[in-house]
Amino acid sequence: MKIHTTRSLRATKIQKGSSPLQMLTCYDFQTAQLLDETDIDLLLVGDSLGNVILGYETTVEVSLEEMIVFSSAVKRGAKNKFVVADLPFGTYSTFESGIENATKLFQRSKAEAIKLEGASEHQLKLIKRLTETGVPVMGHIGLTPQSVHELGGYYVHGKDEKSQEKLLQEAIALEKAGAFCVVLECVKEELSKKISESISIPTIGIGSGDFTDGQVLVTNDLLHMGKQDPPKFCQPVANFYELKKTAIEKYIEKNKNINPYNDGKSLNH
Ligand code: KIV
């Protein structure tokens, strides 16, 4: 089982005969222990936990304290994995707050890296300083859910020439600023291919086609753990929602006729 570092990750570009990097989200200790025993390359404590674990409408509601609690639980369970923790909305709006909060998340969670969304001048300056001070940063462009209100919804990016050029330049700038890897979320497949071929750090795609250096999915979507259907680009490998529901219903049914006053038995005995 390979234990990744920023050095090994920086050097991972997909080529003929090699397999893509695989990243899955993880939010809790027990799942982290399980994933620690697999060949998964990286774990992401995504702020998607706001949607799938905490039931928030958007990731905008996720706080730094919540990210610290969940990321440190994951790191306690996944001692042998490269763990990336998401820097949540509003914690890096200024240069100073970004440095302070990213350092706090990195230090308290013991994750190997942090991820932040966007590649404007502000984010690039922040990434440069963070990497200079020893905090590895994963970039994230395309659909950046923390900006959902500014973007006007969740949709595929890179459809016209102007946005294609903008995304390509952002990826190049992220590499230059020091990011060791970049997530491309909901980016047109031809464009994610072009970006992946144009930069020397790995790209990790989600809903961005097959031609990235790696792929990431939300584990809860992959295992269909929620009531709602996962997004179209994710083919679930199981239906844990139904499995858990059936198992719990069976348990309830079995215990319906148990009453310690009738036969001396109680639940769970
Ligand atoms: O929060 C998250 O899970 C993410 C992935 C979708 C890349 O950022």
Side-chain angles (χ1 to χ4, degrees), residues 96-115:
E96 285 72 25
S97 66
I99 298 294
E100 186 180 332
N101 292 322
T103 307
K104 198 168 170 183
L105 176 62
F106 180 65
Q107 197 168 34
R108 297 222 356 233
S109 67
K110 299 190 176 146
E112 276 69 26
I114 63 115
K115 174 167 82 58

Side-chain angles (χ1 to χ4, degrees), residues 25 27 44 46-48 86 115 117 140 183 185 206 216 218:
T25 64
Y27 315 111
L44 171 66
D47 58 358
S48 51
D86 252 345
K115 174 167 82 58
E117 296 182 5
H140 181 159
V183 168
E185 179 163 355
I206 175 160
V216 54
V218 169

Side-chain angles (χ1 to χ4, degrees), residues 209-223:
D210 290 339
F211 295 96
T212 47
D213 302 298
Q215 294 287 333
V216 54
L217 280 177
V218 169
T219 301
N220 299 54
D221 291 339
L222 183 67
L223 300 179

